[in-house]
Amino acid sequence: MCEPTEDLVRASAGNALEEVVTSVDLVARSSNFLYRLETASGAAYSLRVPRLRPPVLSPFWQHLQDVFGLRYGTQLLSVGPILRAVDEDGLLQAPRPVAGTTVGDRPAYIFTWLEGTSREPDEFPDSTEVHERLGEYVARLHLRTYDTYGTLTEQAIDPAEFVTRTNASMRDTIARFWSHRPDIGAWFERHAAATDPDVFAGHLAPIMPDISGNQFVYHAGTLAGVVDLDSYVVGPRELELAVVETCLTRPEDFRRGYESVLPLPRFAEFRAYCRFWMLVCEGAGDPDVDEFLTHRTYFA
């Protein structure tokens, strides 16, 4: 999608808020165009406009649709369960939905603006306080267990299907994006296709499959809020833990925070499979498979 003009964003947001929008700043481009808005009353909001257009999705968003049933472009309408969980736990803040609108022919979503310092790298800051709070935040969400998995609002998929559905999605992505890398296809057939489904059947909870340091904001030296709610689903906690491990700079502090709530599982049983999924979802580049699967392996 071409970047919307400032005038179009201003008019669409102003109509939805029923207030004059005095400032429009584009602050990020990822799966959404993310804007910071200010109004004549001095209020600040965020506006998210999806950049992708189904059925042409990135490998990551296609996977979330294939495996969890998450519908890109409308998922921000269903973040109520994660907001309630964040409120109940009281560790972090999260933006609140305010209004829906359209920008051109795209849906767009207005949330309250969450103050704090944002971060570009995937890695979390080198801070004990950040990692302990992150570990506790993730673990408290993992206390909310489910018998089946899916989206935040509908869990209808048997956990025994997770590996089968994930493998089908990965096989399609490899055919579309990695045909020039036969070693990736070979690793899939040799290892991923032989994965025991029971590895992921034991602990289903709210997870962020792309969790990283740039999904949060920071204040006074610690984690202050979670700002990216798009990809939250109900799924195996092992997937989120394998992803977050690659972003830690103080793993033992993360462990301390997590294990103040729950014991960490054994990563050796699921790490390679989940990291291979991460590699496949990259959809581009020239990664060294062995290095990708083994860098930053902190937990047994």
Side-chain angles (χ1 to χ4, degrees):
M1 176 188 180
C2 295
E3 182 180 322
T5 66
E6 181 178 322
D7 287 343
L8 181 59
V9 171
R10 188 189 306 272
S12 298
N15 288 337
L17 293 169
E18 298 182 343
E19 190 174 0
V20 174
V21 175
T22 57
S23 174
V24 175
D25 294 308
L26 179 64
V27 295
R29 295 180 183 88
S30 54
S31 56
N32 300 293
F33 292 108
L34 175 62
Y35 297 88
R36 185 182 190 276
L37 311 175
E38 289 188 9
T39 65
S41 67
Y45 301 93
S46 65
L47 173 72
R48 293 174 182 268
V49 184
R51 294 182 68 188
L52 306 176
R53 188 189 294 274
V56 182
L57 298 176
S58 68
F60 174 76
W61 287 106
Q62 187 65 55
H63 172 85
L64 293 194
Q65 178 172 295
D66 293 345
V67 178
F68 298 94
L70 190 68
R71 297 295 176 182
Y72 175 84
T74 62
Q75 73 275 21
L76 285 172
L77 295 171
S78 304
V79 296
I82 200 67
L83 292 176
R84 288 192 292 274
V86 171
D87 283 349
E88 289 168 5
D89 292 342
L91 288 172
L92 302 181
Q93 295 182 311
R96 305 286 138 178
V98 175
T101 185
T102 57
V103 174
D105 63 347
R106 301 291 177 115
Y109 306 95
I110 300 174
F111 284 74
T112 55
W113 180 260
L114 199 61
E115 295 294 343
T117 302
S118 59
R119 182 174 174 82
E120 281 295 323
D122 288 338
E123 293 79 10
F124 286 89
D126 184 7
S127 160
T128 292
E129 177 69 22
V130 165
H131 282 74
E132 287 185 349
R133 182 169 288 193
L134 174 68
E136 184 179 355
Y137 168 75
V138 170
R140 289 196 177 279
L141 289 180
H142 290 177
L143 284 175
R144 296 167 171 84
T145 57
Y146 295 74
D147 294 327
T148 51
Y149 78 92
T151 66
L152 291 175
T153 55
E154 183 178 359
Q155 304 85 43
I157 308 170
D158 190 308
E161 296 182 33
F162 178 76
V163 169
T164 300
R165 292 169 70 105
T166 300
N167 282 352
S169 183
M170 284 201 291
R171 183 176 279 112
D172 180 66
T173 299
I174 291 168
R176 291 171 56 208
F177 292 92
W178 296 107
S179 59
H180 62 293
R181 288 289 302 272
D183 58 322
I184 291 177
W187 199 99
F188 172 81
E189 296 298 342
R190 187 166 58 249
H191 299 289
T195 297
D196 182 355
D198 288 344
V199 171
F200 298 101
H203 196 119
L204 305 174
I207 63 169
M208 186 196 297
D210 59 346
I211 186 171
S212 65
N214 51 37
Q215 314 280 35
F216 298 83
V217 292
Y218 306 83
H219 178 70
T222 192
L223 208 60
V226 54
V227 293
D228 200 336
L229 308 173
D230 295 50
S231 68
Y232 267 106
V233 291
V234 171
R237 68 167 176 162
E238 292 84 359
L239 179 60
E240 183 176 45
L241 288 171
V243 173
V244 78
E245 184 187 32
T246 68
C247 303
L248 301 178
T249 54
R250 287 182 173 263
E252 289 308 312
D253 294 331
F254 175 85
R255 179 200 294 274
R256 188 179 306 111
Y258 192 93
E259 292 195 332
S260 70
V261 180
L262 284 172
L264 276 175
R266 284 187 53 80
F267 277 54
E269 297 179 4
F270 57 81
R271 177 189 287 118
Y273 183 87
C274 294
R275 290 203 178 181
F276 183 73
W277 167 79
M278 292 171 63
L279 183 153
V280 170
C281 283
E282 292 285 328
D286 191 27
D288 180 299
V289 176
D290 289 338
E291 181 181 353
F292 197 99
L293 300 185
T294 57
H295 79 292
R296 291 190 172 179
T297 52
Y298 300 123
F299 305 121

